[in-house]
Amino acid sequence: MFLFKNLQLYRLPAPWAFTPEQMELALQAQAFSPAGSSEVERQGWDKPRPNGGLVHVVNKQMLIVLGKEKKLLPATVVNQVAKARAAEMEEAQGFAPGKKAMKDLKERVHDELLPRAFAIRSDTRCWIDPVNGWLVVDAASPTKADEVIKMLLKAIDRMPVESLRVQNSPVGMMTSWLQEDDAPAGFTVDMDTELRATGESKAAVRYVRHTLPADEVGRHIAAGKQCTRLAMTWDSKISFVLTETLAIKTVKALDVIKENEAATRNDDERFDGDFMLMTGELAKMLADITEALGGFAAA
């Protein structure tokens, strides 16, 4: 039901006065189009909804999508074809092609096969909350999120986006919540966690869908391990995993939210309803997580 599964978090000034119309105009110069016959990869902004614009807006919340197309041409295939061509050349001219000739041959084979290569399409969604000052990329890795941010910075001159910074260390706070068996107000600690040593050994222990025995966890912490991942539930509505880098992973709406979903008549209404519900609840959850970590760090 939730459109986003992983949250890479960034901050914007709140409120941010950039309008959806301004955003639409800014993104048009980098609108997505399929990779050409001689291109390995191409990315650009695509429509979040069929027959819509590049910016989808619901209740002042903006949704944009970075589309990417990448052609698959394994080096083993290129090498295999080049090897066969080299054998033909050797038979025709009486000697094998040299190192430079072989390199040129592989490049020619690559260029020849590229137009027929299979293309893989992927989309990365980005939610912009100009009211509360959030920019959230649905990506499991920071590298994937960086692609979106770099494209946005190209599209919008001097876009005031920053990484989320908080007063207290996520690792320190998660370790404290485990050690004291005391989750912050509005949250509960669930059954997944990772504890990792800070020394050279990098020793780690992970509990997966496992009750966290206080004495056992306490021994690991006493031995110098700190919590780097912690599964939690917010307000009995959303479960997630908080990481040491402030990424929020495995976001899942719980039954209490699903039961309150309104019946809708068509796909567009259902999509907008899901997006409005998700952004409304996540904005409140992100505010509570920030508060639990001591609030925003001073600039």
Side-chain angles (χ1 to χ4, degrees), residues 4-247:
F4 284 38
K5 303 302 180 187
N6 299 286
L7 314 179
Q8 300 289 337
L9 305 174
Y10 301 86
R11 290 294 296 165
L12 292 166
W16 190 42
F18 209 73
T19 66
E21 293 75 19
Q22 290 173 306
M23 178 70 70
E24 178 83 26
L25 188 62
L27 300 186
Q28 284 176 359
Q30 299 171 343
F32 177 81
S33 60
S37 61
S38 62
E39 291 180 303
V40 175
E41 179 179 304
R42 181 179 283 188
Q43 60 181 6
W45 302 107
D46 209 350
K47 299 174 181 179
R49 298 295 295 159
N51 304 317
L54 296 178
V55 182
H56 189 74
V57 186
V58 180
N59 195 30
K60 299 183 180 179
Q61 306 297 302
M62 293 185 259
L63 178 67
I64 59 176
V65 173
L66 183 65
K68 185 176 182 179
E69 187 175 273
K70 186 173 184 178
K71 293 181 180 176
L72 294 182
L73 184 52
T76 51
V77 173
V78 175
N79 290 338
Q80 183 177 346
V81 175
K83 186 177 179 180
R85 298 272 179 87
E88 293 173 1
M89 292 172 62
E90 182 176 1
E91 184 176 350
Q93 64 191 16
F95 59 90
K99 188 175 182 180
K100 184 179 184 305
M102 196 64 196
K103 180 182 177 183
D104 292 341
L105 178 58
K106 287 181 180 180
E107 290 177 355
R108 289 198 303 273
V109 168
H110 179 275
D111 293 343
E112 178 186 323
L113 296 179
L114 189 59
R116 291 179 281 161
F118 186 72
I120 295 292
R121 172 65 191 267
S122 63
D123 291 330
T124 305
R125 288 170 166 164
C126 177
W127 158 41
I128 297 173
D129 178 357
V131 179
N132 300 295
W134 290 105
L135 189 154
V136 181
V137 181
D138 182 12
S141 72
T143 302
K144 194 78 171 177
D146 284 345
E147 291 182 1
V148 175
I149 298 302
K150 287 176 182 177
M151 288 290 285
L152 272 174
L153 292 174
K154 287 180 182 178
I156 303 172
D157 187 37
R158 297 181 181 178
M159 185 177 185
V161 61
E162 297 179 348
S163 296
L164 173 62
R165 295 183 298 120
V166 292
Q167 292 282 358
N168 298 325
S169 159
V171 169
M173 294 304 296
M174 290 190 293
T175 303
S176 174
W177 298 335
L178 275 180
Q179 190 170 29
E180 298 173 11
D181 193 21
D182 185 22
F187 295 87
T188 56
V189 170
D190 297 337
M191 295 193 294
D192 288 32
T193 189
E194 180 181 85
L195 296 157
R196 195 166 64 227
T198 56
E200 292 182 1
S201 70
K202 301 295 181 183
V205 59
R206 177 176 287 186
Y207 295 87
V208 180
R209 294 186 294 277
H210 192 290
T211 302
L212 308 181
D215 56 342
E216 193 173 312
V217 169
R219 286 198 299 272
H220 285 300
I221 294 173
K225 293 186 179 71
Q226 293 184 309
C227 183
T228 54
R229 293 170 59 94
L230 184 63
M232 305 180 76
T233 294
W234 170 77
D235 198 27
S236 302
K237 294 180 180 179
I238 302 173
S239 67
F240 62 94
V241 175
L242 180 63
T243 74
E244 60 186 322
T245 61
L246 280 178

